[in-house]
């Protein structure tokens, strides 16, 4: 398939990139590894006049702790650097487990970046198709039209966030730093996503995601990621789950559960997460109840648009949450070093 | 085999492997010819419509566009594999019958211009009601997809042997089950691409992936109204066929038409989506199977009715409708059997031949046999052994089976996975299963059934073999080289090939119908023997020996038993040249089949000269939380007659397990939004990856067929089918439920497990 015509820009530094973004705004697309963007351009799902490459913005590539001990991931950091970073072991294993499941090693090694993964467009089988496939009938809402093929009479787009990294970052309570010529702002990850399938991100067109900030590593904190696919690689999630839990004095002190492949954002399941608070990590019933509730909530967001049957994906949400929570708890309790050997 | 071979039966690397691995192999899409244009096809975006108007004037005026073609540019010739199935215009004039069908095409100086030109073609269609399932299609009150086929029934194959009703009456146990399966697909490594050019003599040259160049040249000559000797389908590297390239593709014709109209070479490359929708795919099937057995589990009668979703055109319809049944009647012994196979037109892409020949058929037969055995208290392996075909028998439709190692396949595969120890004794959620099958080695293909080969010597003793055999990935070129090197006592590198070119090579059936080794290999062998006899005549005079006493080895002709009485081969070749009797060889081989046999009108008589047989045993573990299957081990045993190159044969077995078992039974299927295929790409159609594959034990069984070259038959196909059956049977064993809709994806498996749990609770 052929790329449409566009003007290709290679800013030398961040300032130049922000200038271009300010100037071309909606008419520009940011190119990191391109493994999502170029496919969508070929399918004519993005119409863009300018493509702004981040390739010379070296300061966006790297993983560094800041003065408060928080970990800053430059948005243009290749996925393989995330997998290999010694800084991202232990408490952050939910993230590295997730990144290892993205596409296949060639995508992780040669193309994909963490920023691109965070900004992965939502997907739907009625939408992620060639221009020819979509021709011959009215456009759907995400495609600029009025209707929805996935869910009859839906007044909004029900496409799903299937980014493995985003799901894990949600459970890890990441912060997203955006920069434009006007200045910098940072959003808690749940505010970075709008929950709207048509326009899933709270990024304004002149903004660049520069950094993904993770809370400082803690002891007795564990994280995990689970993903359901039909194939071992090159397969987007039918549904995924990630958990981050903190154990204090034998009780669960904090928990964040996220489910991907359901809504237009990775779903942060607050109510279900709260069910765990104060419980013993060994409390199997509490985990089961949490998983069931998380599953019910996530199921309400799903429609039949990612493959497999809807019922199956709905059922699996609870199963994956259960497995993710169990694994995160085990990692929190056993210390992550031992958890590493488990794998 | 009593004879000691140098190359035959040996594990030698393939002649083409290096160029494939390094990327130097040239496929059609890699070709670049001077002044070559880019071709693109305008397709229908509705599933069924009358073509009202196609206006190409704007496209023609676009700068850089060199030719635009529509149905008006054609001679209106309809293509069909048989005279009675000629129903497909490569560029239809009256109607489009599926979403994605060809309407027009352009050739332009570059891809952007060609794509822009497509946008400028105005197509007015009058939409007609469309049907997307065989049952809806038969119930439809019209308009029919083809006027000539009422109720959209395209093909009806009817076979009735013995007395089925009496067989059921005499049966101790009778079961009837219905099995369904969605469409499966090939996903060849190489997406379709074609290059066409006309030379200054008006000859058409074409490079296109094919399963037999002669099978493409003739329909092209018909459709283009050109003499056959002016249509030259050339040799090119091919990245897979699996049955999907058995026929001419509309794109072959369209590319030629564009080349003719523009008077320039044209290249047309398919996108992955086009390769899925516009090449061929497997049929979706609904199969009802009724089987009666005696107390010992022997099949006394079987009655099968099958509805096949054929898509919009006949394609290989009569063959595709017959083969699932024929494979079954070859593998299983039975006296009373009835078959009603219906191929139904729907407004979906055209279906053709595929390696598994209908999953719901083969797997249904075997799953049902397992259930019958269960009721009788007989294990699946014993059920297979009691019913397995044996050499010397005749199939219900009248084929004599000259060689058959099926029993050995079953026993060896079962033993490898420790069937006796494991069956019934595995921990929960583990299961073991077996499938058996048989395929043909050659069909009655009339005048195109035989292969011809020629050998010429170079003055340095090297040879060139000329043969119509095509290699589309399975290793046929290697097979030819090994055969000729063996018979002429040459190192492999001394054998050059001219193959798969319709100008240079003679008639050949192609790799279609699994006959390349049997027909093409035999022809090459006979050509080499012919050449060798000529060499021996010359050498015998010089050596003052009897030609019958000579042997040819290591480029030397010896008198048997006296290693120092020899002449170098080169010298004998040169003597031939000096003496005015240059050495060459010719061979021809046509399998002995009954040419009166016809798929629909007369499905009786010798179908193939030989049949291959296979048995696969698989052990699986099911995750009861997710329904996901992990395959622990697979033993694949096939009677391929004789393995000319065991390494290549084992590669075929492994690919077959991947395609038939791992993909075919676990993850691969098409799903639809009306006429739109929801998963036309490699991302969404889940072909298994290397990392998904289980450990495979390939087991080669050799029955030495009397007709095959060195005893060889076919390799791989009966594994693809039996692997699907073994996977299905193992999953049923693991979860204690028989799923009847294929493939057995995790959602279906989980649903079955939950249903069983609910029933148990009651
Ligand atoms: C075959 C295949 C399989 C895949 N499988 C998976 C999978 O299993 N899981 C998964 O999560 N993903 C998968 N992907 C999607 C993709 O490869 C990954 O998400 C990858 O991490 C994207 O990174 P990238 O740098 O290539 O993104 P790009 O394509 O460059 O960008 C993606 C999007 O983010 C925007 N963007 C990039 N950087 C910034 C920035 N700094 N600020 C603002 N916006 C930005 C781009 O404009 C674009 O819209 C797959 C892709 C392919 C082709
Ligand atoms: S969910 Fe509906 S609107 Fe959104 S992409 Fe799919 S079909 Fe379009």
């Amino acid at each position: 398939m052929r790329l449409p015509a566009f003007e290709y820009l290679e800013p030398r530094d961040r300032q130049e990139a922000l200038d271009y973004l300010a100037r071309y705004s909606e008419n520009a697309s940011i190119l990191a590894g391109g493994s999502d963007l170029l496919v969508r351009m070929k399918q004519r799902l993005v119409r863009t006049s300018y493509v702004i490459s981040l390739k010379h913005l070296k300061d966006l590539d790297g993983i560094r702790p800041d003065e408060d001990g928080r970990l800053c991931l430059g948005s243009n950091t290749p996925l393989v650097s995330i997998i290999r970073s010694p800084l991202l072991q232990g408490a952050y294993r939910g993230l590295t487990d997730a990144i290892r499941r993205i596409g296949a090693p060639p995508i992780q090694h040669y193309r994909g970046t963490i920023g691109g993964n965070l900004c992965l467009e939502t997907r739907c089988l009625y939408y992620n198709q060639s221009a020819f496939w979509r021709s011959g009938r009215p456009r759907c809402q995400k495609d600029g039209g009025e209707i929805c093929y996935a869910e009859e009479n839906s007044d909004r787009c029900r496409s799903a966030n299937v980014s493995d990294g985003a799901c894990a970052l949600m459970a890890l309570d990441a912060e997203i730093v955006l920069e434009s010529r006007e200045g910098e702002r940072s959003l808690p990850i749940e505010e970075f996503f709008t929950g709207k399938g048509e326009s899933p991100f709270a990024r304004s067109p002149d903004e660049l995601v520069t950094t993904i900030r993770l809370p400082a590593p803690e002891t007795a904190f564990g994280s995990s990621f689970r993903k359901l696919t039909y194939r071992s690689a090159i397969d987007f999630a039918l549904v995924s789950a990630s958990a981050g839990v903190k154990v204090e004095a034998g009780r669960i002190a904090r928990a964040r559960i996220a489910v991907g492949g359901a809504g237009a954002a990775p779903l942060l399941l607050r109510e279900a997460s709260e069910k765990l608070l104060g419980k013993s990590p060994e409390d199997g019933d509490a985990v089961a109840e949490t998983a069931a509730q998380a599953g019910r909530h996530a199921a309400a967001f799903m429609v039949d648009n990612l493959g497999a049957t809807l019922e199956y994906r709905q059922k699996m949400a609870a199963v994956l949450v259960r497995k993710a929570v169990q694994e995160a708890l085990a990692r929190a309790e056993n210390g992550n070093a031992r958890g590493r050997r488990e794998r | 085999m009593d004879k000691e071979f140098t190359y035959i039966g040996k594990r030698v690397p393939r002649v083409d492997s290096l160029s494939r691995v390094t990327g130097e192999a040239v496929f059609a899409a890699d070709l670049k010819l001077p002044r070559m244009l880019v071709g693109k096809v305008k397709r229908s975006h509705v599933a069924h419509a009358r073509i009202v108007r196609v206006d190409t004037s704007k496209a023609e005026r676009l700068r850089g566009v060199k030719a635009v073609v529509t149905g008006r540019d054609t001679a209106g010739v309809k293509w069909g594999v048989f005279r009675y199935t000629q129903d497909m215009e490569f560029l239809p004039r009256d109607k489009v019958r599926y979403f994605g069908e060809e309407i027009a095409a352009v050739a332009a100086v570059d891809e952007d211009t060609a794509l822009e030109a497509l946008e400028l073609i105005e197509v007015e269609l009058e939409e007609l009601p469309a049907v997307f399932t065989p049952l809806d299609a038969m119930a439809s009150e019209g308009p029919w997809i083809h006027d000539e086929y009422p109720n959209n029934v395209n093909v009806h194959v009817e076979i009735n042997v013995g007395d089925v009703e009496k067989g059921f009456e005499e049966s101790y146990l009778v079961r009837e089950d219905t099995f369904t399966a969605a469409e499966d697909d090939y996903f060849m490594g190489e997406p379709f691409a074609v290059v066409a050019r006309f030379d200054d003599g008006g000859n058409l040259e074409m490079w296109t992936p094919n399963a037999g160049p002669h099978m493409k040249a003739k329909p092209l000559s018909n459709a283009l109204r050109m003499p056959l000797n002016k249509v030259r389908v050339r040799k090119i590297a091919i990245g897979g066929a699996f049955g999907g390239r058995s026929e001419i593709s509309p794109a072959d014709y369209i590319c030629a038409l564009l080349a003719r109209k523009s008077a320039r070479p044209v290249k047309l490359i398919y996108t992955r989506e086009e390769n899925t929708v516009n090449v061929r795919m497997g049929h979706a099937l609904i199969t009802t199977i009724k089987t009666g057995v005696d107390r010992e589990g022997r099949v006394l009668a079987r009655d099968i009715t099958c509805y096949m979703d054929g898509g919009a055109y006949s394609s290989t319809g009569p063959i595709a409708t017959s083969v699932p049944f024929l494979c079954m009647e070859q593998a299983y012994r039975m006296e009373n059997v009835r078959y009603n196979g219906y191929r139904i037109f729907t407004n979906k892409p055209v279906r053709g031949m595929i390696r598994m020949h209908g999953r719901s058929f083969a797997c249904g037969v075997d799953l049902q046999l397992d259930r019958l055995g269960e009721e009788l208290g007989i294990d699946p392996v014993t059920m297979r052994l009691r019913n397995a075909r044996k050499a010397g028998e005749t199939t219900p439709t009248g084929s004599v089976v000259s060689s058959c190692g099926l029993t050995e396949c079953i026993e060896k595969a079962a033993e490898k996975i420790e069937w006796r120890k494991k069956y019934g004794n595995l921990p929960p959620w583990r299961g073991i299963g077996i499938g058996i099958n048989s395929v043909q080695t050659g069909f009655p293909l009339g005048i195109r059934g035989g292969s011809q080969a020629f050998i010429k010597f170079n003055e340095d003793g090297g040879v060139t073999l000329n043969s119509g055999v095509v290699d589309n990935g399975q290793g046929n070129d290697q097979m030819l080289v090994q055969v000729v090197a063996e018979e002429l006592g040459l190192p492999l590198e001394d054998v050059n090939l001219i193959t798969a070119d319709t100008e240079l090579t003679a008639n050949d059936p192609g790799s279609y119908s699994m006959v390349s080794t049997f027909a093409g290999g035999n022809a090459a062998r006979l050509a080499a023997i012919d050449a060798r006899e000529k060499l021996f005549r010359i050498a015998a005079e010089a050596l003052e020996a009897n030609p019958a006493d000579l042997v040819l080895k290591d480029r030397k002709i010896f008198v048997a038993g006296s290693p120092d009485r020899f002449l170098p081969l080169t010298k004998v070749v040169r003597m031939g040249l000096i003496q005015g009797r240059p050495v060459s060889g010719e061979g021809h081989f046509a399998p002995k089949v009954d040419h009166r046999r016809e798929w629909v009108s007369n499905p009786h008589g010798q179908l193939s000269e030989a049949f291959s047989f296979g048995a696969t045993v698989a052990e699986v573990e099911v995750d009861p939380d997710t329904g996901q299957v992990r395959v622990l081990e697979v033993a694949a045993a096939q009677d391929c007659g004789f393995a000319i190159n065991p390494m290549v044969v084992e590669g075929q077995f492994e690919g077959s397990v991947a395609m038939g078992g791992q993909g075919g039974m676990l993850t691969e299927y098409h799903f639809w939004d009306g006429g739109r295929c929801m998963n036309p790409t490699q991302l969404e159609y889940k072909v298994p990856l290397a990392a998904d594959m289980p450990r495979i034990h390939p087991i080669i069984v050799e029955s030495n067929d009397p007709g095959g070259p060195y005893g060889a038959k076919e390799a791989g196909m009966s594994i693809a089918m039996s692997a699907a059956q073994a996977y299905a049977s193992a999953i049923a064993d693991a979860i204690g439920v028989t799923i009847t809709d294929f493939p057995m994806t995790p959602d279906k498996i989980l649903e079955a497990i939950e249903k069983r749990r609910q029933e148990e609770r009651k």
Side-chain angles (χ1 to χ4, degrees):
Chain A
M1 252 188 285
R2 187 105 177 129
L3 278 171
F6 56 86
E7 193 168 325
Y8 176 66
L9 304 169
E10 269 185 13
R12 294 277 129 195
D13 55 33
R14 191 183 297 198
Q15 203 46 54
E16 199 183 347
L18 296 178
D19 287 345
Y20 280 137
L21 278 173
R23 193 176 327 150
Y24 300 121
S25 192
E26 278 103 347
N27 296 323
S29 291
I30 299 170
L31 175 75
S35 60
D36 174 47
L37 180 68
L38 297 183
V39 180
R40 286 187 293 117
M41 286 175 70
K42 287 182 178 182
Q43 294 178 320
R44 306 301 191 262
L45 293 170
V46 219
R47 300 219 171 242
T48 200
S49 311
Y50 301 91
V51 170
I52 304 172
S53 167
L54 303 182
K55 95 171 179 207
H56 296 304
L57 276 60
K58 296 289 173 229
D59 60 331
L60 291 184
D61 176 356
I63 303 166
R64 301 167 203 91
D66 68 7
E67 55 276 20
D68 301 321
R70 295 179 301 182
L71 264 194
C72 299
L73 318 180
S75 62
N76 215 30
T77 307
L79 298 176
V80 66
S81 310
I82 308 270
I83 297 171
R84 290 194 183 150
S85 168
L87 295 171
L88 282 169
Q89 304 304 323
Y92 303 118
R93 288 210 14 237
L95 179 62
T96 50
D97 285 358
I99 303 300
R100 270 199 200 90
R101 293 298 311 274
I102 293 178
I107 288 178
Q108 298 158 14
H109 286 235
Y110 302 113
R111 281 280 167 251
T113 63
I114 186 69
N117 187 232
L118 175 74
C119 300
L120 176 70
E121 262 294 343
T122 55
R123 294 180 67 88
C124 165
L125 280 176
Y126 294 89
Y127 169 77
N128 293 95
Q129 299 282 0
S130 69
F132 170 71
W133 195 99
R134 302 191 321 279
S135 71
R137 64 182 189 185
R139 289 168 178 275
C140 79
Q141 291 170 42
K142 194 170 171 66
D143 211 1
E146 314 267 282
I147 55 170
C148 174
Y149 292 102
E151 177 84 345
E152 234 188 315
N153 301 325
S154 178
D155 58 350
R156 63 206 157 84
C157 168
R158 311 290 299 269
S159 58
N161 186 302
V162 287
S163 160
D164 297 325
C167 183
L169 289 169
M170 181 64 79
L172 286 174
D173 201 5
E175 229 175 34
I176 311 303
V177 184
L178 296 132
E179 198 176 324
S180 73
R181 231 167 37 179
E182 313 299 313
E184 191 181 276
R185 64 173 176 146
S186 101
L187 295 174
I189 185 163
E190 49 269 44
E191 287 175 30
F192 178 71
F193 297 99
T194 60
K196 294 195 187 103
E198 304 87 335
S199 51
F201 308 106
R203 179 182 85 88
S204 73
D206 63 341
E207 280 180 315
L208 181 68
V209 173
T210 56
T211 308
I212 296 163
R213 206 148 49 203
L214 297 173
E218 294 174 85
T219 51
F221 180 89
S223 66
S224 62
F225 176 78
R226 291 292 169 128
K227 172 180 180 182
L228 188 78
T229 54
Y230 275 8
R231 189 160 61 184
S232 60
I234 322 185
D235 215 353
F236 282 102
L238 290 166
V239 54
S240 59
S242 183
V245 293
K246 165 83 179 165
V247 178
E248 258 167 22
R251 298 280 143 187
I252 301 173
R254 248 179 22 244
R256 273 173 80 93
I257 298 170
V259 170
L267 302 177
L268 176 64
L269 297 159
R270 284 184 208 279
E271 264 178 61
S273 308
E274 277 164 19
K275 275 187 180 289
L276 289 173
L277 301 186
K279 298 280 162 45
S280 149
E282 271 76 48
D283 187 341
D285 291 345
V287 173
E289 252 175 65
T290 303
Q293 166 140 14
R296 274 195 304 276
H297 280 191
F301 284 83
M302 294 180 180
V303 295
D304 189 358
N305 63 352
L306 298 183
T309 58
L310 176 60
E311 299 71 38
Y312 178 66
R313 284 174 46 224
Q314 289 175 327
K315 251 181 257 162
M316 286 304 100
V319 172
L320 294 202
V321 168
R322 174 164 56 76
K323 293 189 177 186
V325 169
Q326 281 167 345
E327 188 169 33
L329 285 171
R331 287 174 174 179
E333 278 200 294
N334 300 341
N336 286 288
R338 189 160 139 225
R340 202 174 309 150
R341 250 179 285 126
E342 260 166 35
R343 230 185 125 83
Chain B
M1 294 251 103
D2 37 3
K3 198 171 163 231
E4 229 349 275
F5 291 119
T6 311
Y7 297 113
I8 295 298
K10 299 290 163 15
R11 294 174 179 272
V12 283
R14 281 167 54 165
V15 286
D16 57 344
S17 21
L18 195 63
S19 70
R20 301 254 169 167
V21 173
T22 57
E24 282 162 301
V26 176
F27 296 84
D30 298 323
L31 286 178
K32 286 198 178 74
L33 301 177
R35 302 178 69 240
M36 188 169 77
L37 301 173
V38 175
K40 288 276 166 197
V41 179
K42 177 88 177 171
R43 302 186 173 282
S44 169
H45 51 68
V46 297
H48 196 191
R50 216 169 292 292
I51 301 174
V52 180
R53 189 176 63 96
V54 181
D55 184 347
T56 58
S57 52
K58 282 189 193 137
E60 280 158 26
R61 283 199 299 272
L62 183 69
R63 202 188 156 88
V65 171
K66 301 296 175 190
V68 183
V69 295
T70 68
R72 290 190 297 272
D73 296 274
T74 73
V77 175
K78 286 187 176 177
W79 156 247
V81 176
F82 303 94
R83 210 172 286 278
Y84 60 91
T85 59
Q86 287 171 347
D87 57 16
M88 185 183 208
E89 285 185 60
F90 297 132
L91 274 171
R93 293 169 303 173
D94 58 338
K95 259 174 63 160
V96 283
R97 296 175 171 87
Y98 71 94
F99 180 86
E101 183 164 4
E102 296 77 9
I103 293 180
V106 301
V109 289
D110 58 35
E111 195 174 348
D112 285 334
T113 311
L115 288 170
E116 198 183 332
L118 289 190
E119 301 281 307
L120 295 175
I121 298 176
E122 287 168 22
V123 177
E124 197 183 315
L125 300 174
E126 179 194 320
E127 225 177 314
L128 298 169
V131 283
F132 302 117
T133 68
L135 300 183
D136 286 348
M138 284 187 291
S140 151
E141 305 199 332
W144 318 128
I145 297 172
H146 296 270
D147 294 338
E148 307 78 26
Y149 296 93
N151 293 90
N152 296 316
V153 177
N154 166 219
V155 175
H156 177 200
V157 172
E158 191 181 358
I159 291 167
N160 199 343
V161 180
D163 188 339
V164 174
E165 298 312 329
K166 191 158 153 269
F168 284 132
E169 271 163 38
E170 288 168 5
S171 294
Y172 174 71
L173 195 64
V174 178
R175 244 191 104 100
E176 183 178 310
D177 301 278
T178 296
F179 300 90
T180 53
E183 296 83 355
D184 45 357
D185 214 324
Y186 322 98
F187 280 82
M188 305 93 168
E190 175 207 12
F192 179 87
V194 51
V195 176
R197 99 164 141 199
F198 283 83
D199 69 14
D200 50 9
N203 303 302
L204 168 65
E205 277 186 290
M206 180 173 285
W207 296 263
T208 174
N210 63 79
H214 294 280
M215 296 282 200
K216 290 226 183 194
K218 186 64 172 65
L220 276 170
S221 94
N222 290 353
L224 293 164
R225 301 228 189 278
M226 289 171 67
L228 190 50
N229 67 6
K230 286 182 156 299
V231 179
R232 295 159 182 188
V233 177
R234 299 292 190 209
K235 177 170 181 148
I236 189 82
I238 299 170
F242 310 113
R245 285 165 177 172
S246 307
E247 277 173 87
I248 178 158
S249 156
D252 294 324
Y253 171 79
I254 289 170
C255 196
L257 212 56
L258 287 169
R260 179 148 84 183
K261 197 162 177 184
S262 65
R264 285 172 69 165
V266 177
K267 173 154 81 179
L268 208 164
I269 305 180
Y270 268 10
T271 62
R272 192 42 86 169
E273 179 179 355
E274 287 177 304
N275 193 68
T276 297
V277 174
N278 305 106
V279 174
R280 288 288 180 267
M281 59 178 64
H283 292 71
L285 264 62
I286 305 168
T287 315
T288 299
I289 305 166
K290 184 174 170 187
T291 303
V293 292
D294 67 13
R295 269 172 201 273
E296 278 77 46
R298 271 178 284 268
V299 175
L300 298 186
R302 188 168 269 162
D303 187 5
I304 301 185
T305 305
C306 183
Y307 296 96
M308 305 179 71
D309 183 341
Y313 292 96
S314 286
S315 177
T316 50
I319 311 176
T321 314
S322 308
V323 170
F325 171 82
L326 297 170
C327 295
M328 189 277 298
E329 69 145 19
Q330 288 156 215
Y332 286 112
R333 217 180 314 132
M334 73 208 115
E335 273 166 22
N336 309 303
V337 62
R338 183 159 60 208
Y339 175 53
N340 280 285
Y342 300 90
R343 186 176 188 273
I344 310 299
F345 284 129
T346 60
N347 293 109
K348 280 156 87 190
V350 190
R351 284 79 206 278
M353 310 305 288
I354 192 165
R355 221 171 182 183
M356 270 85 65
H357 293 302
R359 297 175 279 188
S360 82
F361 200 112
C363 298
V365 165
D366 268 46
L367 281 175
Q368 186 181 60
L369 208 63
D370 284 353
R371 296 293 76 80
L372 285 163
E374 196 171 61
E375 288 180 52
L376 295 169
I378 304 172
D379 80 289
V381 164
T382 310
M383 285 297 277
R384 302 297 180 296
L385 288 171
R386 289 208 177 137
N387 289 290
R389 175 71 55 214
K390 300 230 160 53
E393 294 172 352
T394 303
T395 67
T397 64
S399 291
V400 176
V401 176
S402 49
S403 64
C404 174
L406 183 53
T407 297
E408 192 181 337
C409 291
I410 298 171
E411 283 167 350
K412 286 195 167 158
E415 194 182 324
K416 188 80 206 171
I417 307 282
E418 302 187 289
W419 179 279
R420 304 257 167 241
K421 201 171 102 194
K422 287 179 180 165
Y423 183 73
N425 302 315
L426 288 171
W429 309 114
R430 288 260 292 272
I432 187 167
I434 182 170
I436 68 170
N437 225 313
S438 164
V439 300
Q440 305 74 29
T441 305
F443 295 152
L445 293 171
I447 54 168
R448 221 166 277 132
S451 180
Q452 230 178 324
F454 308 94
I455 282 176
K456 87 167 177 154
F457 273 88
N458 297 325
E459 60 187 56
D460 66 354
V463 299
T464 301
L465 171 78
N466 176 312
S467 149
V469 166
V470 64
D471 188 328
N472 35 45
Q474 68 280 76
N476 284 339
D477 281 355
Q478 175 66 21
M479 177 271 296
L480 294 173
V481 169
Q482 277 180 242
V483 165
V484 173
E486 182 69 50
E487 296 299 340
L488 293 177
L490 293 170
L492 296 172
E493 57 272 19
D494 278 10
V495 181
N496 275 300
L497 297 179
I498 292 176
T499 53
D501 179 309
T502 62
E503 182 187 25
L504 305 174
T505 69
N507 214 356
D508 181 86
S511 66
Y512 182 64
S513 89
M514 296 70 75
V515 77
S516 291
T517 300
F518 202 84
N522 256 328
R525 194 180 124 257
L526 293 171
I529 291 171
D530 184 36
R532 193 176 62 205
E533 279 168 4
K534 289 180 190 161
L535 286 168
F536 282 1
R537 253 176 265 147
I538 297 167
E541 283 169 24
L543 289 166
E544 295 179 354
N546 187 337
D549 294 337
L550 297 182
V551 282
L552 181 44
K553 209 172 169 157
D554 299 335
R555 305 184 89 177
K556 291 186 190 108
I557 297 176
F558 294 90
V559 179
S562 357
D564 37 310
R565 278 180 72 198
F566 73 86
L567 280 172
L569 176 67
T570 319
K571 186 155 187 197
V572 181
V573 170
R574 287 164 166 262
M575 286 162 73
L577 290 169
I578 296 274
Q579 295 167 9
R581 41 175 178 170
V583 177
S584 65
E586 205 220 309
H588 176 258
F589 187 89
K592 289 181 210 66
V593 294
D594 185 344
H595 287 293
R596 286 162 309 182
R597 188 171 176 133
E598 205 287 327
W599 302 96
V600 177
S601 62
N602 180 34
H604 298 278
Q606 191 74 31
L607 173 67
S608 286
E609 186 171 339
F611 302 92
S612 89
F613 296 86
T616 302
V617 174
E619 186 183 348
V620 304
E621 182 172 48
V622 174
D623 179 340
D625 285 338
T626 63
Q628 291 198 312
V629 177
R630 197 160 70 90
V631 183
L632 306 172
E633 242 180 332
V634 174
Q638 196 201 328
D639 164 20
C640 61
F642 177 81
I644 290 179
N645 186 333
M647 203 156 69
V648 174
V649 170
E650 287 171 4
Q652 287 293 306
F653 288 9
E654 285 160 11
S656 292
V657 172
M659 194 165 175
Q662 196 74 23
M665 196 36 66
L666 300 183
T667 54
E668 291 186 26
Y669 65 104
H670 278 310
F671 51 106
W672 304 87
D673 179 14
R676 281 165 223 251
C677 178
M678 291 289 285
N679 58 344
T681 64
Q682 286 169 304
L683 178 61
E684 301 298 348
Y685 185 90
K686 315 291 180 191
V687 174
L689 306 168
D692 294 305
M693 290 302 295
R695 179 149 176 235
I696 301 168
H697 306 281
I699 301 168
I700 294 172
V701 169
E702 296 180 330
S703 62
N704 289 305
D705 189 83
Y710 318 98
K713 302 190 275 194
E714 173 276 342
M717 285 266 300
S718 30
I719 295 297
M721 298 172 81
S722 60
Q725 296 165 293
Y727 273 53
S729 162
I731 293 168
D733 185 42
I735 65 174
V737 192
T738 301
I739 295 171
T740 56
D741 183 43
F742 310 139
M744 295 185 177
T745 46
D747 44 6
K748 292 179 202 164
I749 292 175
L750 193 74
E751 199 186 307
I753 292 174
E754 286 178 354
K755 231 185 231 149
R756 188 188 117 186
R757 281 184 174 148
Q758 272 165 16
E759 271 158 29
E760 279 168 358
R761 253 178 255 134
K762 270 184 214 155

